[in-house]
């Protein structure tokens, strides 16, 4: 991750933190609770382990996610949202709400029900 040193507004920084296909989805999954790397990989269809590790590292660098390692064998590592990550999740929830609204307008209610996003 290459962090810029100059921004024209704070929104650019927020965009840098969440840009890409996977970061909002990772934040969403971690919003459900701490996950291991394998647990996240299972929950996020289509992401490679290399990409997941890279995206988690960037989210950790930005202070959105914390990584906790536990002693013992086998080594256990968990990722969870930080306070700042929880605040960022609020924005992700708003974005998902807009997506749900648009999918409903497009007749995708059954898909949303299968995902548990509609009653």
């Amino acid at each position: 991750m290459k962090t810029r040193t100059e921004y024209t507004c704070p929104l650019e920084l927020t965009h840098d933190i969440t840009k890409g296909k996977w970061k909002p989805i990772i934040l969403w999954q971690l919003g459900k609770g701490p996950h291991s790397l394998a647990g996240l990989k299972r929950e996020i269809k289509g992401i490679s382990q290399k990409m997941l590790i890279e995206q988690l590292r960037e989210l950790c660098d930005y202070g959105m996610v914390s990584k906790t390692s536990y002693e013992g064998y086998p080594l256990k590592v968990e990722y969870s949202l930080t306070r700042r990550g929880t605040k960022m999740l609020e924005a992700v929830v708003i974005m998902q709400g807009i997506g749900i609204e648009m999918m409903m307008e497009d007749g995708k209610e059954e898909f949303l029900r299968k995902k548990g996003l509609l009653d």
Side-chain angles (χ1 to χ4, degrees), residues 7-70:
Y7 291 94
T8 59
C9 75
L11 185 57
E12 285 181 318
L13 174 57
T14 306
H15 178 263
D16 281 357
I17 293 168
T18 59
K19 73 180 171 188
K21 178 178 180 178
W22 301 111
K23 288 180 189 150
I25 297 168
I26 292 167
L27 291 170
W28 177 259
Q29 290 299 328
L30 291 176
K32 298 175 184 178
H35 279 68
S36 66
L37 184 67
L40 283 170
K41 177 92 172 63
R42 259 191 315 275
E43 293 293 323
I44 304 172
K45 305 296 182 222
I47 192 170
S48 69
Q49 185 163 327
K50 179 182 178 205
M51 179 59 69
L52 179 57
I53 291 169
E54 181 181 307
Q55 299 296 287
L56 283 166
R57 186 175 301 125
E58 289 183 18
L59 288 167
C60 286
D61 289 347
Y62 278 118
M64 300 289 138
V65 171
S66 65
K67 176 182 175 181
T68 305
S69 298
Y70 297 93

Side-chain angles (χ1 to χ4, degrees), residues 67-113:
K67 176 182 175 181
T68 305
S69 298
Y70 297 93
E71 302 248 347
Y73 183 81
L75 179 65
K76 181 179 177 185
V77 176
E78 269 188 348
Y79 294 90
S80 58
L81 291 180
T82 62
R83 185 183 61 76
R84 184 178 288 161
T86 301
K87 286 184 77 173
M88 184 66 79
L89 179 61
E90 293 173 20
V92 172
V93 168
I94 291 168
M95 291 189 304
Q96 182 178 25
I98 293 167
I100 289 170
E101 202 174 282
M102 292 175 74
M103 290 180 96
M104 287 179 62
E105 290 169 5
D106 201 30
K108 305 256 192 292
E109 290 90 352
E110 188 58 33
F111 170 82
L112 294 168
R113 277 191 194 86

